[in-house]
């Protein structure tokens, strides 16, 4: 073997320690940034950091029970948590990793009452799945025991329980849809609405009183963690305006170093501390500016999504945003990672504003993947249950609607939506006949 020695000249970018620290700060959450700056302030006499006010905590359950409360005995006899109860049912109901991930997101959005605290659109965006996929998972979870879990409101919760007990008639549905009339004592008007008599309404009310309006309270529940958003977007004068949530941000003050007198070493240390403090302030300001610019660009590109929902999410990648902001895509990824924004559609992660184009290279002119998946779901919903469409037939039907699909793509999207094969759908229809 012959050994050869050659010379080669290359160019590369060497990241300095401060560049690496800047990227680290860019990716920090507000909580991590506060902790990082507080630690810096302990060793830097030129840096003052005012931390955001902490969220008030609920009174301790132990303190409420008194000093003689036995935590060991309570642990032995304590009720299972609502989340653990739901998690066990999730493991039995879903085999797909994607479906389980979405189901976990819905479980985390449960209030102690058992009701959902966020709309399905917000959960779909947080889980990075199309809305039809999230809705299919939610429909299955609304069948969990006890009946009434994952309800949207009181009327929905009572309907789920009435349906589970075989009590849900058209008349009872009308009554549950008009619960405020009961509170106002308008029994006669309600009786007219459901084509009955006041006695019929009173009998229905007795059945309603036997239902549990808050089924989640039968389980142990810890207070839900409060995750304040990093940004807010509001509608002002017909335009969307993005704002930083300053209540969760630390405030930085840089002051001159103490006079060291004739001590050269102390003077050098003070100069370094002042330089470090000024750099930290500039770095944090750039972090806030980059985050605000990125969020404003996302909102500007996805206005229809904010106004009409996930089905109108336009194709958008980090590369697209990086080109618009003249930044590297990795910088965009760091800026939006873990960031939450409060919107009229709920609190969403910034990553929910990104969506791949269905046809690579089509940019924002082609359909998004979410829209195409919704077409597949709509075709199946409109089919004859006794003569379900094969994947090839769905391809032909989608082509009539201007959407070109491959059969394997239909199979993949059908699986994402939780739709069985045409054979299984036909067998289910025959069994239900």
């Amino acid at each position: 073997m012959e050994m050869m020695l050659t010379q080669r000249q290359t160019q590369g970018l060497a990241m300095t320690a401060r560049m690496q620290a800047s990227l680290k700060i860019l990716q920090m959450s507000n909580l991590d940034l506060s902790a990082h700056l507080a630690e810096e302030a302990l060793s830097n006499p030129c840096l003052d950091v005012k931390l955001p006010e902490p969220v008030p905590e609920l009174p301790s359950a132990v303190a409420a029970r008194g000093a003689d409360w036995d935590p060991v005995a309570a642990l032995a006899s304590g009720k299972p948590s609502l989340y653990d109860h739901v998690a066990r049912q999730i493991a039995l109901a879903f085999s797909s990793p994607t479906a389980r991930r979405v189901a976990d997101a819905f479980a985390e959005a449960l209030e102690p009452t058992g009701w959902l605290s966020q709309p399905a659109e917000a959960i779909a965006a947080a889980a990075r799945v199309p809305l039809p996929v999230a809705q299919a998972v939610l429909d299955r979870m609304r069948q969990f025991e006890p009946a009434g879990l994952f309800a949207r409101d009181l009327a929905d919760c009572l309907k789920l329980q009435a349906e589970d007990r075989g009590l849900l008639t058209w008349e009872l549905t009308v009554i549950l849809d008009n619960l405020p009339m009961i509170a106002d004592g308008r029994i006669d008007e309600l009786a007219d609405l459901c084509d009955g008599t006041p006695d019929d309404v009173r009998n229905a009310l007795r059945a309603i009183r036997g239902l549990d309006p808050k089924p989640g309270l039968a389980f142990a529940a810890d207070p839900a963690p409060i995750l304040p958003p990093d940004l807010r977007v509001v509608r002002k004068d017909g335009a969307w305006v993005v704002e930083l949530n300053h209540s969760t941000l630390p405030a930085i003050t840089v002051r001159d170093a103490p006079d060291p007198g004739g001590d050269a070493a102390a003077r050098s240390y003070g100069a370094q501390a002042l330089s470090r403090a000024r750099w930290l302030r500039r770095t944090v300001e750039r972090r806030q500016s980059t985050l605000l610019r990125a969020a404003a660009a996302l909102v500007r590109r996805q206005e229809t999504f904010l106004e009409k929902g996930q089905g109108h999410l336009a194709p958008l990648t980090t590369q697209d945003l990086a080109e618009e902001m003249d930044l590297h895509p990795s910088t965009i990824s760091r800026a939006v990672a873990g960031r939450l924004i409060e919107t009229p559609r709920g609190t969403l992660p910034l990553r929910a504003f990104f969506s791949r184009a269905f046809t690579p290279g089509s940019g924002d002119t082609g359909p998004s993947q979410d829209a195409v998946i919704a077409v597949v779901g709509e075709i199946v919903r409109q089919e004859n249950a006794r003569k379900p469409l094969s994947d090839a037939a769905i391809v032909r039907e989608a082509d009539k609607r201007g959407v070109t699909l491959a059969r394997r793509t239909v199979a993949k999207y059908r699986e994402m939506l939780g739709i069985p094969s045409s054979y299984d759908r036909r067998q289910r229809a025959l069994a239900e006949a």
Side-chain angles (χ1 to χ4, degrees):
M1 181 176 64
E2 184 180 356
M3 303 290 291
M4 297 184 62
L5 182 64
T6 61
Q7 288 185 337
R8 203 171 41 171
Q9 185 176 3
T10 61
Q11 287 185 338
L13 177 63
M15 295 184 65
T16 65
R18 283 201 168 181
M19 289 175 63
Q20 295 176 0
S22 296
L23 292 176
K24 183 179 179 181
I25 289 176
L26 176 63
Q27 197 166 2
M28 287 181 180
S29 66
N30 289 353
L31 183 62
D32 292 337
L33 178 64
S34 296
H36 177 71
L37 293 177
E39 185 177 355
E40 287 276 351
L42 292 176
S43 58
N44 192 328
C46 299
L47 182 66
D48 282 337
V49 177
K50 182 181 179 181
L51 300 178
E53 293 293 330
V55 178
E57 296 183 356
L58 296 176
S60 168
V62 176
R65 292 183 178 93
D68 58 347
W69 179 65
D70 185 353
V72 176
L75 181 64
S77 60
K79 297 179 290 186
S81 72
L82 175 61
Y83 183 82
D84 288 341
H85 175 77
V86 169
R88 286 193 292 270
Q89 297 189 70
I90 289 174
L92 295 174
F94 302 103
S95 57
S96 165
T98 299
R100 286 192 177 184
R101 177 167 56 84
V102 178
D104 288 338
F106 275 113
E108 291 173 1
L110 271 183
E111 295 181 347
T113 58
W115 301 358
L116 267 182
S117 61
Q118 300 180 37
E121 290 182 344
I123 301 298
R128 299 286 294 156
V129 297
L131 179 58
V133 175
Q135 191 62 56
V137 171
L138 177 59
D139 290 343
R140 178 68 184 89
M141 297 181 76
R142 282 162 62 85
Q143 300 174 21
F144 283 3
E145 295 293 337
L149 295 181
F150 298 98
R152 301 176 184 87
D153 50 36
L154 175 59
D156 189 33
C157 180
L158 297 177
K159 285 181 186 178
L160 288 174
Q161 293 186 52
E163 184 177 12
D164 181 67
R165 300 185 186 186
L167 303 175
L168 190 61
T169 61
W170 175 82
E171 292 79 8
L172 186 58
T173 301
V174 173
I175 293 173
L176 291 176
D177 287 338
N178 295 275
L179 288 176
M181 295 179 67
I182 297 175
D184 295 339
R186 297 156 60 189
I187 303 298
D188 292 341
E189 295 179 40
L190 191 54
D192 291 338
L193 282 178
C194 60
D195 294 335
T197 66
D199 287 339
D200 293 333
V201 174
R202 295 186 183 95
N203 291 334
L205 292 180
R206 281 191 285 269
I208 291 175
R209 293 189 186 100
L211 305 176
D212 185 0
K214 298 178 180 179
L217 297 184
F219 302 88
D222 296 326
I226 300 175
L227 301 175
D230 303 274
L231 306 113
R232 294 190 178 94
V233 57
V234 294
R235 193 79 170 174
K236 291 183 179 179
D237 300 327
W240 292 103
V241 179
V242 181
E243 304 170 344
L244 286 170
N245 183 6
H246 291 283
S247 65
T248 65
L249 291 173
I252 298 177
T253 302
V254 176
R255 59 186 179 184
D256 293 334
D259 185 6
D263 191 335
R267 185 180 299 106
S268 175
Y269 174 77
Q272 292 177 5
L274 181 60
S275 175
R276 173 74 177 179
R278 288 172 174 169
W279 174 82
L280 277 171
R281 181 175 62 184
R282 290 194 303 271
T283 301
V284 171
E285 289 173 351
R286 283 197 300 269
R287 171 191 182 270
Q288 317 296 49
S289 175
T290 302
L291 177 58
L292 188 59
R293 286 178 58 210
L298 284 172
V299 168
R300 185 168 58 253
R301 299 283 290 267
Q302 299 289 12
E303 287 188 2
T304 309
F305 161 60
L306 284 175
E307 294 168 358
K308 299 182 179 180
Q310 192 181 21
H312 299 270
L313 195 64
L316 180 64
T317 65
T318 54
Q319 180 69 39
D320 298 332
L321 200 62
E323 292 175 358
E324 178 179 334
M325 297 178 60
D326 196 22
L327 294 172
H328 195 274
S330 63
T331 302
I332 299 297
S333 295
R334 288 185 175 94
V336 303
R339 302 289 188 268
L340 298 176
I341 182 169
E342 182 182 314
T343 77
R345 311 198 73 84
T347 299
L348 306 174
L350 279 182
R351 287 197 178 276
F353 287 72
F354 293 99
S355 179
R356 290 184 301 173
F358 173 67
T359 304
S362 64
D364 56 5
T365 59
S368 69
Q369 193 178 61
D370 293 354
V372 176
I373 291 175
V375 168
V376 173
E378 183 181 359
I379 292 173
V380 174
R381 283 193 298 272
Q382 294 176 354
E383 71 181 3
N384 185 343
R386 292 183 174 275
K387 295 181 180 180
L389 299 173
S390 65
D391 290 347
I394 294 176
V395 168
R396 292 191 294 270
E397 184 62 31
D399 187 61
K400 295 178 183 177
R401 305 186 183 197
V403 178
T404 303
L405 291 172
R407 189 187 60 79
R408 62 180 179 275
T409 304
V410 169
K412 181 178 72 172
Y413 288 173
R414 179 172 50 74
E415 183 178 349
M416 291 175 64
L417 291 168
I419 299 173
S421 65
S422 58
Y423 174 81
D424 291 335
R425 300 202 302 277
R426 183 183 300 109
Q427 294 303 311
R428 184 175 61 184
L430 292 175
E432 294 175 353

